[in-house]
Amino acid sequence: MTLQIPDLDDRDFEQLRTDLLERIPVHTPEWTHAGESDPGVTILETFAFLAENLLYRCNQVPERNRRAFLSLLGVPVRPPGAGRGLVSFALPRGSRAVVPLDRGAEVRAGRVPFRTRTGVDVLPIETAVFVKKPRTDLDPARRQEYRNLYAPFLDGPTDSLLFYQSQRLPEPLPGGPVPMVDLADAAQGASDGSAWVALLAPEGTRPDEVDQVRGALAHQVLSLGIAPPPQAPSGRVLPVRRWTGDPSQLGLAFSLPKIDATTRDAPGSAAASYVGVPVEQADDVMQVAGVVSLRLPGYDGLLMWDFDPEEEGTGDYPPLLEDKQLAARLVTWLRVELGATQPGAMRCPNTAISWIGANAARVLQAVPVVQEQVGVGTGTPDQTLTLANTPVLDPRADPDGTGELLVEVEETAGAWTAWEQVDDVEAMSSDAAVFALDAQLGLLRFGSGLHGRRPSLGARVRATYEYGGGPAGLVPVDAVTSLATSTGPVSP
Protein backbone atom coordinates (compact mmCIF):
# COMPACT_ATOMS: atom_id res chain seq x y z
CA MET A 1 0.00 0.00 0.00
CA THR A 2 1.37 3.42 -0.97
CA LEU A 3 2.01 5.65 2.02
CA GLN A 4 -0.19 8.75 2.16
CA ILE A 5 2.47 11.15 3.44
CA PRO A 6 1.50 14.77 4.24
CA ASP A 7 4.00 17.59 3.95
CA LEU A 8 6.03 17.82 7.13
CA ASP A 9 5.72 21.62 7.10
CA ASP A 10 4.46 23.90 4.33
CA ARG A 11 5.58 27.27 5.73
CA ASP A 12 7.71 29.48 3.48
CA PHE A 13 10.45 31.96 4.32
CA GLU A 14 8.13 34.89 5.11
CA GLN A 15 5.94 32.80 7.42
CA LEU A 16 8.97 31.41 9.28
CA ARG A 17 10.49 34.90 9.59
CA THR A 18 7.25 36.39 10.95
CA ASP A 19 6.85 33.52 13.42
CA LEU A 20 10.38 34.02 14.74
CA LEU A 21 9.99 37.78 15.13
CA GLU A 22 6.74 37.32 17.07
CA ARG A 23 8.58 35.14 19.58
CA ILE A 24 11.12 37.86 20.45
CA PRO A 25 9.03 39.72 23.09
CA VAL A 26 8.00 36.40 24.64
CA HIS A 27 11.43 34.84 25.07
CA THR A 28 13.76 37.89 25.09
CA PRO A 29 11.78 40.97 26.22
CA GLU A 30 15.03 42.89 26.67
CA TRP A 31 15.45 42.80 22.88
CA THR A 32 13.62 46.03 22.10
CA HIS A 33 14.93 46.86 18.62
CA ALA A 34 14.04 44.30 15.92
CA GLY A 35 14.47 46.35 12.81
CA GLU A 36 15.70 45.00 9.49
CA SER A 37 19.19 46.36 10.13
CA ASP A 38 19.55 44.58 13.48
CA PRO A 39 22.21 41.78 13.41
CA GLY A 40 19.95 39.53 15.46
CA VAL A 41 17.17 39.84 12.88
CA THR A 42 19.69 38.95 10.18
CA ILE A 43 20.52 35.75 12.06
CA LEU A 44 16.81 34.92 12.35
CA GLU A 45 16.33 35.52 8.62
CA THR A 46 19.27 33.24 7.87
CA PHE A 47 17.71 30.52 10.04
CA ALA A 48 14.34 30.98 8.29
CA PHE A 49 16.06 30.67 4.88
CA LEU A 50 17.87 27.46 5.90
CA ALA A 51 14.73 26.02 7.51
CA GLU A 52 12.70 26.66 4.34
CA ASN A 53 15.25 24.77 2.27
CA LEU A 54 15.45 21.90 4.76
CA LEU A 55 11.66 21.52 4.90
CA TYR A 56 11.47 21.48 1.11
CA ARG A 57 14.09 18.71 0.93
CA CYS A 58 12.37 16.66 3.66
CA ASN A 59 9.09 16.84 1.78
CA GLN A 60 10.83 15.37 -1.28
CA VAL A 61 12.10 12.26 0.54
CA PRO A 62 10.93 9.29 -1.57
CA GLU A 63 8.56 6.69 -0.18
CA ARG A 64 11.28 4.04 -0.21
CA ASN A 65 13.37 6.09 2.24
CA ARG A 66 10.38 6.80 4.44
CA ARG A 67 9.71 3.06 4.67
CA ALA A 68 13.35 2.50 5.62
CA PHE A 69 13.20 5.20 8.31
CA LEU A 70 10.03 3.67 9.75
CA SER A 71 11.59 0.21 9.72
CA LEU A 72 14.60 1.52 11.63
CA LEU A 73 12.19 2.89 14.22
CA GLY A 74 10.52 -0.53 14.45
CA VAL A 75 7.35 0.65 12.68
CA PRO A 76 7.25 -1.14 9.32
CA VAL A 77 4.28 -0.92 6.99
CA ARG A 78 2.02 -3.83 7.76
CA PRO A 79 0.14 -5.73 5.08
CA PRO A 80 -3.48 -6.79 5.65
CA GLY A 81 -3.58 -9.35 8.44
CA ALA A 82 -4.58 -12.92 7.72
CA GLY A 83 -7.58 -14.37 9.51
CA ARG A 84 -6.69 -16.80 12.27
CA GLY A 85 -8.53 -18.81 14.88
CA LEU A 86 -9.39 -22.29 16.11
CA VAL A 87 -11.19 -25.13 14.37
CA SER A 88 -12.53 -28.17 16.21
CA PHE A 89 -12.74 -31.48 14.34
CA ALA A 90 -15.12 -34.40 14.83
CA LEU A 91 -15.40 -38.02 13.78
CA PRO A 92 -18.53 -39.58 12.26
CA ARG A 93 -21.16 -41.02 14.53
CA GLY A 94 -20.20 -44.33 16.07
CA SER A 95 -16.49 -44.08 15.23
CA ARG A 96 -13.99 -45.30 17.84
CA ALA A 97 -10.86 -44.66 15.77
CA VAL A 98 -8.21 -41.99 16.43
CA VAL A 99 -7.48 -40.13 13.17
CA PRO A 100 -4.29 -38.03 12.95
CA LEU A 101 -4.52 -34.74 11.08
CA ASP A 102 -1.14 -33.26 10.16
CA ARG A 103 -0.18 -29.61 10.21
CA GLY A 104 -0.93 -27.92 6.90
CA ALA A 105 -4.31 -29.53 6.26
CA GLU A 106 -6.62 -27.25 4.27
CA VAL A 107 -10.03 -26.32 5.62
CA ARG A 108 -12.45 -23.93 3.99
CA ALA A 109 -15.05 -21.37 4.94
CA GLY A 110 -16.98 -21.36 1.68
CA ARG A 111 -14.26 -20.63 -0.88
CA VAL A 112 -11.84 -19.05 1.60
CA PRO A 113 -8.96 -21.45 2.38
CA PHE A 114 -7.36 -21.84 5.80
CA ARG A 115 -4.40 -24.00 6.81
CA THR A 116 -3.94 -25.76 10.12
CA ARG A 117 -0.91 -24.50 12.00
CA THR A 118 -0.86 -27.43 14.45
CA GLY A 119 -1.38 -31.13 14.05
CA VAL A 120 -4.16 -32.86 15.95
CA ASP A 121 -5.11 -36.43 16.76
CA VAL A 122 -8.88 -36.39 16.34
CA LEU A 123 -10.32 -38.42 19.21
CA PRO A 124 -13.81 -39.97 19.42
CA ILE A 125 -14.96 -37.43 21.96
CA GLU A 126 -17.08 -34.31 22.46
CA THR A 127 -16.97 -31.65 25.14
CA ALA A 128 -19.35 -29.54 27.20
CA VAL A 129 -18.09 -26.93 29.67
CA PHE A 130 -19.79 -26.24 33.00
CA VAL A 131 -19.11 -23.90 35.90
CA LYS A 132 -20.41 -23.76 39.46
CA LYS A 133 -22.06 -20.36 39.35
CA PRO A 134 -22.80 -18.90 42.81
CA ARG A 135 -26.49 -18.72 43.68
CA THR A 136 -27.92 -16.14 46.05
CA ASP A 137 -31.59 -16.13 45.07
CA LEU A 138 -32.78 -18.98 47.33
CA ASP A 139 -35.42 -18.07 49.92
CA PRO A 140 -34.86 -19.04 53.61
CA ALA A 141 -37.26 -21.98 53.43
CA ARG A 142 -35.43 -23.51 50.48
CA ARG A 143 -32.09 -22.99 52.15
CA GLN A 144 -33.31 -24.76 55.29
CA GLU A 145 -34.58 -27.63 53.14
CA TYR A 146 -31.09 -28.09 51.68
CA ARG A 147 -29.50 -27.87 55.14
CA ASN A 148 -31.70 -30.69 56.37
CA LEU A 149 -30.97 -32.78 53.27
CA TYR A 150 -27.20 -32.37 53.46
CA ALA A 151 -26.83 -32.36 57.26
CA PRO A 152 -24.87 -35.67 57.15
CA PHE A 153 -22.18 -33.98 55.03
CA LEU A 154 -21.55 -31.18 57.55
CA ASP A 155 -18.73 -32.08 59.91
CA GLY A 156 -19.43 -29.50 62.60
CA PRO A 157 -21.98 -26.94 63.79
CA THR A 158 -19.99 -24.11 62.21
CA ASP A 159 -20.01 -25.69 58.76
CA SER A 160 -22.30 -24.08 56.22
CA LEU A 161 -23.55 -24.79 52.73
CA LEU A 162 -22.45 -22.86 49.66
CA PHE A 163 -25.12 -22.87 46.99
CA TYR A 164 -24.38 -22.92 43.30
CA GLN A 165 -26.08 -23.58 40.00
CA SER A 166 -24.49 -25.85 37.43
CA GLN A 167 -24.33 -23.61 34.38
CA ARG A 168 -23.15 -24.63 30.94
CA LEU A 169 -20.83 -22.24 29.12
CA PRO A 170 -22.73 -21.41 25.93
CA GLU A 171 -21.20 -21.88 22.50
CA PRO A 172 -20.26 -18.66 20.63
CA LEU A 173 -22.84 -17.59 18.05
CA PRO A 174 -22.33 -15.37 14.97
CA GLY A 175 -23.18 -11.81 15.96
CA GLY A 176 -23.99 -12.83 19.51
CA PRO A 177 -22.36 -11.78 22.78
CA VAL A 178 -19.03 -13.34 23.65
CA PRO A 179 -19.45 -16.03 26.34
CA MET A 180 -17.17 -15.58 29.34
CA VAL A 181 -16.51 -17.05 32.74
CA ASP A 182 -14.05 -15.41 35.12
CA LEU A 183 -12.26 -18.15 37.03
CA ALA A 184 -10.99 -15.67 39.61
CA ASP A 185 -14.40 -14.22 40.44
CA ALA A 186 -15.94 -16.45 43.14
CA ALA A 187 -18.94 -14.13 43.52
CA GLN A 188 -20.07 -13.78 39.89
CA GLY A 189 -17.98 -16.28 37.90
CA ALA A 190 -16.92 -19.71 39.14
CA SER A 191 -17.46 -20.30 42.85
CA ASP A 192 -14.63 -22.87 43.00
CA GLY A 193 -12.32 -21.14 40.51
CA SER A 194 -12.69 -23.96 37.97
CA ALA A 195 -14.12 -24.67 34.57
CA TRP A 196 -15.32 -28.28 34.37
CA VAL A 197 -14.97 -29.90 30.95
CA ALA A 198 -17.23 -32.91 30.50
CA LEU A 199 -15.49 -35.35 28.15
CA LEU A 200 -18.40 -37.05 26.39
CA ALA A 201 -18.67 -40.07 24.17
CA PRO A 202 -19.93 -39.11 20.68
CA GLU A 203 -23.64 -38.57 20.26
CA GLY A 204 -25.43 -41.84 19.69
CA THR A 205 -23.17 -43.83 22.01
CA ARG A 206 -25.09 -46.19 24.29
CA PRO A 207 -24.25 -46.21 28.02
CA ASP A 208 -22.74 -49.69 27.72
CA GLU A 209 -20.36 -48.39 25.01
CA VAL A 210 -18.83 -45.58 27.08
CA ASP A 211 -16.12 -47.95 28.32
CA GLN A 212 -15.09 -48.55 24.70
CA VAL A 213 -14.53 -44.81 24.34
CA ARG A 214 -12.39 -44.82 27.51
CA GLY A 215 -10.28 -47.54 25.96
CA ALA A 216 -9.88 -45.52 22.74
CA LEU A 217 -8.78 -42.41 24.70
CA ALA A 218 -6.25 -44.22 26.88
CA HIS A 219 -2.73 -42.73 26.55
CA GLN A 220 -3.79 -40.45 23.68
CA VAL A 221 -2.99 -36.74 23.30
CA LEU A 222 -6.01 -34.48 23.79
CA SER A 223 -5.74 -31.24 21.76
CA LEU A 224 -7.77 -28.87 23.90
CA GLY A 225 -8.60 -25.55 22.27
CA ILE A 226 -9.01 -22.60 24.63
CA ALA A 227 -10.04 -19.07 23.70
CA PRO A 228 -10.00 -16.06 26.03
CA PRO A 229 -12.47 -13.19 25.59
CA PRO A 230 -11.24 -10.17 23.57
CA GLN A 231 -10.94 -8.21 26.80
CA ALA A 232 -9.83 -9.25 30.26
CA PRO A 233 -12.37 -8.83 33.09
CA SER A 234 -10.55 -5.62 34.03
CA GLY A 235 -11.39 -4.20 30.59
CA ARG A 236 -7.85 -4.42 29.27
CA VAL A 237 -7.65 -5.44 25.61
CA LEU A 238 -5.53 -8.57 25.32
CA PRO A 239 -2.61 -8.26 22.89
CA VAL A 240 -1.86 -10.77 20.14
CA ARG A 241 1.48 -12.25 21.16
CA ARG A 242 3.84 -14.76 19.65
CA TRP A 243 3.07 -18.32 20.66
CA THR A 244 5.34 -19.30 23.54
CA GLY A 245 4.88 -23.06 23.56
CA ASP A 246 6.12 -23.00 27.17
CA PRO A 247 3.78 -24.84 29.59
CA SER A 248 5.42 -23.13 32.58
CA GLN A 249 4.01 -19.79 31.40
CA LEU A 250 0.49 -21.08 30.82
CA GLY A 251 -1.18 -20.03 34.09
CA LEU A 252 -3.68 -22.91 33.96
CA ALA A 253 -3.72 -26.31 35.64
CA PHE A 254 -5.47 -29.44 34.36
CA SER A 255 -6.51 -32.46 36.40
CA LEU A 256 -8.65 -35.60 36.23
CA PRO A 257 -10.46 -37.43 39.06
CA LYS A 258 -8.22 -39.67 41.14
CA ILE A 259 -10.30 -42.80 41.67
CA ASP A 260 -9.45 -46.15 43.18
CA ALA A 261 -11.51 -49.17 44.17
CA THR A 262 -12.40 -47.58 47.55
CA THR A 263 -13.56 -44.17 46.36
CA ARG A 264 -15.29 -45.16 43.13
CA ASP A 265 -18.29 -46.84 44.71
CA ALA A 266 -18.42 -44.65 47.83
CA PRO A 267 -17.22 -41.17 46.85
CA GLY A 268 -18.89 -39.53 49.83
CA SER A 269 -16.65 -41.43 52.24
CA ALA A 270 -13.65 -39.25 51.38
CA ALA A 271 -12.87 -35.83 49.96
CA ALA A 272 -12.57 -35.59 46.19
CA SER A 273 -9.00 -35.76 44.92
CA TYR A 274 -7.52 -35.09 41.51
CA VAL A 275 -4.33 -35.89 39.65
CA GLY A 276 -2.63 -33.49 37.28
CA VAL A 277 -2.60 -34.15 33.54
CA PRO A 278 0.81 -33.70 31.86
CA VAL A 279 0.97 -30.76 29.44
CA GLU A 280 3.08 -31.65 26.41
CA GLN A 281 2.69 -28.36 24.57
CA ALA A 282 0.87 -25.16 25.35
CA ASP A 283 0.11 -21.90 23.61
CA ASP A 284 -0.43 -18.69 25.54
CA VAL A 285 -4.15 -19.42 25.74
CA MET A 286 -4.92 -16.86 28.44
CA GLN A 287 -3.99 -14.07 26.02
CA VAL A 288 -4.81 -15.46 22.57
CA ALA A 289 -6.80 -18.42 21.31
CA GLY A 290 -4.62 -21.51 21.12
CA VAL A 291 -4.20 -25.20 21.86
CA VAL A 292 -3.00 -27.12 24.91
CA SER A 293 -1.86 -30.69 24.29
CA LEU A 294 -2.62 -33.00 27.22
CA ARG A 295 -1.38 -36.58 27.58
CA LEU A 296 -4.32 -38.60 28.85
CA PRO A 297 -3.74 -41.48 31.28
CA GLY A 298 -4.66 -45.11 30.72
CA TYR A 299 -8.12 -46.58 31.03
CA ASP A 300 -8.03 -46.66 34.85
CA GLY A 301 -7.28 -42.95 34.97
CA LEU A 302 -10.44 -42.10 33.01
CA LEU A 303 -12.95 -43.72 35.36
CA MET A 304 -15.76 -41.87 37.12
CA TRP A 305 -17.31 -42.04 40.57
CA ASP A 306 -20.53 -43.99 41.06
CA PHE A 307 -22.54 -41.34 42.90
CA ASP A 308 -25.58 -41.71 45.07
CA PRO A 309 -28.23 -39.11 44.13
CA GLU A 310 -27.48 -36.82 47.08
CA GLU A 311 -23.68 -36.99 46.62
CA GLU A 312 -23.25 -35.81 43.04
CA GLY A 313 -22.11 -32.22 42.76
CA THR A 314 -21.32 -31.77 46.47
CA GLY A 315 -18.06 -30.56 47.99
CA ASP A 316 -15.14 -30.50 45.61
CA TYR A 317 -16.75 -32.97 43.23
CA PRO A 318 -17.66 -31.97 39.66
CA PRO A 319 -20.90 -30.04 39.15
CA LEU A 320 -24.21 -31.83 38.95
CA LEU A 321 -24.95 -32.88 35.37
CA GLU A 322 -28.71 -32.38 35.19
CA ASP A 323 -29.04 -33.32 31.51
CA LYS A 324 -29.45 -37.09 31.74
CA GLN A 325 -28.68 -37.60 28.06
CA LEU A 326 -25.29 -35.96 28.56
CA ALA A 327 -24.77 -37.84 31.83
CA ALA A 328 -25.27 -41.14 30.00
CA ARG A 329 -22.38 -40.26 27.66
CA LEU A 330 -19.99 -38.93 30.33
CA VAL A 331 -16.52 -40.44 30.10
CA THR A 332 -14.88 -38.30 32.78
CA TRP A 333 -14.44 -34.73 33.98
CA LEU A 334 -11.42 -32.55 33.16
CA ARG A 335 -10.90 -29.79 35.69
CA VAL A 336 -9.38 -26.51 34.41
CA GLU A 337 -8.33 -23.98 37.03
CA LEU A 338 -5.94 -21.09 37.40
CA GLY A 339 -2.43 -22.26 38.17
CA ALA A 340 0.83 -20.64 39.16
CA THR A 341 3.24 -19.56 36.43
CA GLN A 342 6.98 -20.06 36.51
CA PRO A 343 8.68 -18.02 39.29
CA GLY A 344 9.53 -14.58 38.01
CA ALA A 345 7.15 -14.78 35.06
CA MET A 346 4.87 -11.84 34.33
CA ARG A 347 1.35 -12.54 35.52
CA CYS A 348 -1.23 -12.55 32.74
CA PRO A 349 -3.89 -9.85 33.28
CA ASN A 350 -6.62 -12.21 32.10
CA THR A 351 -8.40 -14.76 34.29
CA ALA A 352 -11.41 -15.43 32.04
CA ILE A 353 -12.19 -18.09 29.44
CA SER A 354 -14.59 -17.78 26.53
CA TRP A 355 -14.51 -21.23 24.90
CA ILE A 356 -13.01 -24.68 25.47
CA GLY A 357 -13.26 -27.55 22.99
CA ALA A 358 -11.57 -30.84 22.11
CA ASN A 359 -9.82 -31.88 18.89
CA ALA A 360 -8.82 -28.29 18.15
CA ALA A 361 -6.14 -26.90 15.84
CA ARG A 362 -4.98 -23.37 15.12
CA VAL A 363 -5.75 -22.22 11.58
CA LEU A 364 -4.55 -19.33 9.44
CA GLN A 365 -5.95 -17.96 6.22
CA ALA A 366 -3.08 -18.95 3.97
CA VAL A 367 -2.48 -20.38 0.50
CA PRO A 368 0.92 -22.05 -0.05
CA VAL A 369 2.98 -21.53 -3.19
CA VAL A 370 5.87 -23.91 -3.81
CA GLN A 371 8.93 -22.99 -5.90
CA GLU A 372 7.38 -20.21 -7.94
CA GLN A 373 9.74 -19.10 -10.72
CA VAL A 374 10.00 -15.42 -9.86
CA GLY A 375 12.43 -14.22 -12.49
CA VAL A 376 15.99 -14.13 -13.76
CA GLY A 377 18.87 -12.08 -12.41
CA THR A 378 20.25 -9.20 -14.45
CA GLY A 379 23.48 -8.61 -12.56
CA THR A 380 22.58 -4.96 -11.94
CA PRO A 381 22.47 -3.25 -8.53
CA ASP A 382 19.24 -3.09 -6.51
CA GLN A 383 17.37 -5.71 -8.50
CA THR A 384 13.69 -6.18 -7.69
CA LEU A 385 11.43 -9.11 -8.52
CA THR A 386 7.70 -9.37 -7.86
CA LEU A 387 5.89 -12.44 -6.58
CA ALA A 388 2.73 -13.48 -8.40
CA ASN A 389 0.45 -13.48 -5.32
CA THR A 390 -0.08 -10.83 -2.66
CA PRO A 391 -0.18 -9.98 0.15
CA VAL A 392 2.63 -12.28 1.20
CA LEU A 393 2.55 -13.69 4.72
CA ASP A 394 5.81 -12.59 6.27
CA PRO A 395 6.84 -15.33 8.76
CA ARG A 396 8.83 -12.82 10.78
CA ALA A 397 5.72 -10.72 11.41
CA ASP A 398 3.46 -13.71 12.10
CA PRO A 399 2.48 -14.09 15.79
CA ASP A 400 2.15 -17.79 15.08
CA GLY A 401 5.80 -17.98 14.06
CA THR A 402 5.25 -20.98 11.79
CA GLY A 403 5.07 -19.36 8.35
CA GLU A 404 7.42 -20.09 5.49
CA LEU A 405 9.33 -17.88 3.09
CA LEU A 406 12.17 -19.42 1.09
CA VAL A 407 13.93 -17.51 -1.70
CA GLU A 408 16.52 -19.45 -3.68
CA VAL A 409 18.95 -18.34 -6.38
CA GLU A 410 20.52 -20.71 -8.90
CA GLU A 411 24.21 -19.99 -8.33
CA THR A 412 25.35 -22.60 -10.85
CA ALA A 413 23.38 -24.87 -13.16
CA GLY A 414 21.09 -26.98 -11.00
CA ALA A 415 22.56 -25.74 -7.68
CA TRP A 416 20.09 -23.63 -5.70
CA THR A 417 21.18 -21.54 -2.70
CA ALA A 418 18.78 -20.12 -0.12
CA TRP A 419 19.18 -16.40 0.51
CA GLU A 420 18.36 -14.85 3.89
CA GLN A 421 15.59 -12.35 4.53
CA VAL A 422 16.67 -9.13 6.27
CA ASP A 423 14.99 -5.86 7.18
CA ASP A 424 17.55 -3.59 5.53
CA VAL A 425 19.77 -4.70 2.67
CA GLU A 426 21.77 -1.47 2.93
CA ALA A 427 23.08 -2.54 6.34
CA MET A 428 24.65 -5.76 5.01
CA SER A 429 28.16 -6.52 3.74
CA SER A 430 28.92 -6.84 0.05
CA ASP A 431 29.03 -10.66 0.06
CA ALA A 432 25.83 -11.20 2.08
CA ALA A 433 23.27 -13.32 0.21
CA VAL A 434 20.21 -11.45 1.45
CA PHE A 435 16.96 -9.91 0.27
CA ALA A 436 14.27 -7.64 1.69
CA LEU A 437 10.52 -8.26 1.34
CA ASP A 438 7.68 -5.83 0.80
CA ALA A 439 4.88 -8.15 1.89
CA GLN A 440 2.07 -5.90 0.64
CA LEU A 441 3.46 -5.54 -2.89
CA GLY A 442 5.11 -8.98 -2.99
CA LEU A 443 8.39 -7.27 -3.89
CA LEU A 444 11.79 -8.91 -3.40
CA ARG A 445 14.70 -6.45 -3.34
CA PHE A 446 18.31 -7.53 -3.58
CA GLY A 447 21.58 -5.77 -2.84
CA SER A 448 23.70 -3.31 -4.78
CA GLY A 449 26.96 -5.26 -4.67
CA LEU A 450 28.35 -2.85 -2.08
CA HIS A 451 25.62 -3.74 0.38
CA GLY A 452 24.25 -7.20 -0.25
CA ARG A 453 24.96 -9.47 -3.21
CA ARG A 454 23.38 -9.12 -6.65
CA PRO A 455 21.83 -12.11 -8.44
CA SER A 456 24.16 -12.66 -11.36
CA LEU A 457 23.16 -12.34 -15.00
CA GLY A 458 20.92 -15.24 -16.02
CA ALA A 459 20.58 -16.68 -12.49
CA ARG A 460 17.07 -18.00 -11.94
CA VAL A 461 15.23 -17.03 -8.76
CA ARG A 462 12.43 -19.07 -7.20
CA ALA A 463 10.34 -18.64 -4.05
CA THR A 464 8.27 -20.77 -1.71
CA TYR A 465 5.85 -18.73 0.37
CA GLU A 466 2.30 -18.29 1.61
CA TYR A 467 -0.14 -15.53 0.82
CA GLY A 468 -3.46 -14.41 2.23
CA GLY A 469 -5.08 -11.69 4.27
CA GLY A 470 -7.68 -8.98 3.95
CA PRO A 471 -11.41 -8.93 4.69
CA ALA A 472 -12.02 -12.35 3.10
CA GLY A 473 -10.57 -14.02 6.20
CA LEU A 474 -12.99 -12.30 8.59
CA VAL A 475 -15.40 -15.20 8.67
CA PRO A 476 -18.01 -15.69 11.43
CA VAL A 477 -18.13 -18.45 14.01
CA ASP A 478 -18.83 -21.91 12.53
CA ALA A 479 -18.06 -20.69 8.99
CA VAL A 480 -15.34 -23.32 8.46
CA THR A 481 -17.34 -26.35 7.38
CA SER A 482 -15.25 -28.41 4.95
CA LEU A 483 -11.92 -30.22 4.95
CA ALA A 484 -10.19 -30.13 1.56
CA THR A 485 -7.31 -32.37 2.60
CA SER A 486 -8.21 -36.06 2.35
CA THR A 487 -7.54 -37.61 5.76
CA GLY A 488 -10.38 -40.04 6.21
CA PRO A 489 -13.67 -39.55 8.09
CA VAL A 490 -12.94 -36.19 9.73
CA SER A 491 -14.95 -33.00 9.49
CA PRO A 492 -14.50 -29.51 11.03
Side-chain angles (χ1 to χ4, degrees):
M1 179 177 64
T2 301
L3 294 174
Q4 302 297 322
I5 306 282
D7 287 344
L8 296 178
D9 199 327
D10 58 359
R11 287 177 294 176
D12 58 18
F13 169 80
E14 289 297 333
Q15 291 171 316
L16 291 169
R17 178 180 181 277
T18 301
D19 189 22
L20 290 172
L21 292 175
E22 290 176 349
R23 293 173 184 267
I24 290 176
V26 176
H27 298 285
T28 54
E30 65 276 12
W31 186 354
T32 57
H33 178 68
E36 293 185 357
S37 61
D38 186 81
V41 173
T42 303
I43 294 175
L44 293 182
E45 290 176 340
T46 303
F47 177 82
F49 171 77
L50 295 175
E52 181 190 35
N53 282 271
L54 181 62
L55 291 174
Y56 173 79
R57 293 179 63 185
C58 287
N59 288 330
Q60 303 307 309
V61 172
E63 180 178 325
R64 171 181 163 185
N65 286 16
R66 295 184 189 273
R67 290 175 180 266
F69 296 153
L70 289 172
S71 295
L72 291 174
L73 293 173
V75 191
V77 178
R78 296 180 179 178
R84 66 183 69 246
L86 294 175
V87 171
S88 181
F89 296 91
L91 295 171
R93 188 167 181 167
S95 176
R96 299 289 181 268
V98 176
V99 180
L101 190 65
D102 294 334
R103 176 189 180 275
E106 181 180 335
V107 295
R108 292 177 181 172
R111 301 180 64 180
V112 181
F114 289 78
R115 294 275 169 171
T116 59
R117 280 306 202 226
T118 54
V120 52
D121 290 336
V122 184
L123 307 179
I125 201 170
E126 299 174 4
T127 54
V129 183
F130 293 84
V131 294
K132 294 182 178 180
K133 188 173 181 62
R135 188 172 181 181
T136 58
D137 59 344
L138 294 177
D139 57 69
R142 192 68 183 274
R143 288 175 176 268
Q144 186 59 47
E145 180 182 344
Y146 277 114
R147 289 190 185 97
N148 296 336
L149 179 62
Y150 289 98
F153 294 90
L154 303 178
D155 296 330
T158 59
D159 290 345
S160 61
L161 296 178
L162 296 177
F163 299 94
Y164 75 88
Q165 181 178 8
S166 181
Q167 186 176 79
R168 184 171 181 176
L169 184 66
E171 294 288 331
L173 296 175
V178 178
M180 185 183 74
V181 56
D182 187 356
L183 301 182
D185 187 354
Q188 301 294 328
S191 62
D192 59 352
S194 302
W196 297 87
V197 183
L199 302 184
L200 306 170
E203 189 174 354
T205 303
R206 299 192 309 268
D208 61 340
E209 296 176 330
V210 173
D211 267 354
Q212 298 178 18
V213 177
R214 288 193 179 98
L217 298 180
H219 304 295
Q220 298 292 336
V221 174
L222 171 63
S223 297
L224 196 68
I226 301 177
Q231 292 185 337
S234 62
R236 175 177 173 180
V237 177
L238 299 177
V240 176
R241 307 197 317 179
R242 182 173 294 276
W243 308 99
T244 63
D246 185 357
S248 65
Q249 306 292 337
L250 184 57
L252 288 177
F254 305 86
S255 56
L256 290 169
K258 184 179 180 181
I259 299 175
D260 54 32
T262 302
T263 58
R264 183 179 186 185
D265 295 330
S269 63
S273 60
Y274 298 86
V275 59
V277 183
V279 177
E280 294 198 343
Q281 187 274 337
D283 298 325
D284 197 3
V285 294
M286 295 306 287
Q287 296 223 74
V288 63
V291 177
V292 178
S293 298
L294 303 173
R295 175 65 67 176
L296 296 177
Y299 171 85
D300 292 340
L302 298 173
L303 297 176
M304 270 298 299
W305 293 285
D306 186 10
F307 288 105
D308 289 335
E310 71 276 7
E311 293 176 334
E312 187 174 3
T314 61
D316 204 26
Y317 289 103
L320 175 64
L321 197 54
E322 298 178 348
D323 188 330
K324 300 308 178 185
Q325 292 183 347
L326 290 183
R329 296 192 284 128
L330 181 63
V331 175
T332 191
W333 286 97
L334 175 67
R335 186 174 188 175
V336 182
E337 53 190 331
L338 295 176
T341 57
Q342 186 180 22
M346 183 179 296
R347 183 68 178 178
C348 175
N350 178 47
T351 56
I353 287 176
S354 177
W355 177 83
I356 303 178
N359 299 330
R362 298 198 309 266
V363 295
L364 181 74
Q365 180 205 355
V367 180
V369 178
V370 180
Q371 295 184 357
E372 175 186 307
Q373 300 297 320
V374 184
V376 178
T378 62
T380 59
D382 299 323
Q383 298 176 54
T384 58
L385 295 173
T386 304
L387 300 174
N389 305 283
T390 57
V392 179
L393 298 182
D394 187 347
R396 307 203 311 173
D398 183 7
D400 197 354
T402 58
E404 181 179 18
L405 174 60
L406 176 63
V407 174
E408 299 174 292
V409 178
E410 189 179 28
E411 304 286 357
T412 58
W416 295 87
T417 302
W419 286 34
E420 181 184 359
Q421 180 188 2
V422 296
D423 291 327
D424 185 11
V425 174
E426 300 298 330
M428 308 306 295
S429 62
S430 60
D431 60 345
V434 296
F435 68 94
L437 169 70
D438 185 322
Q440 170 63 25
L441 302 177
L443 197 67
L444 303 176
R445 189 169 72 84
F446 300 92
S448 62
L450 294 176
H451 300 281
R453 289 172 57 185
R454 299 177 287 180
S456 58
L457 178 63
R460 293 185 296 170
V461 180
R462 68 186 185 188
T464 297
Y465 61 98
E466 292 177 318
Y467 71 94
L474 300 177
V475 299
V477 175
D478 293 335
V480 176
T481 57
S482 61
L483 177 63
T485 303
S486 178
T487 57
V490 176
S491 60

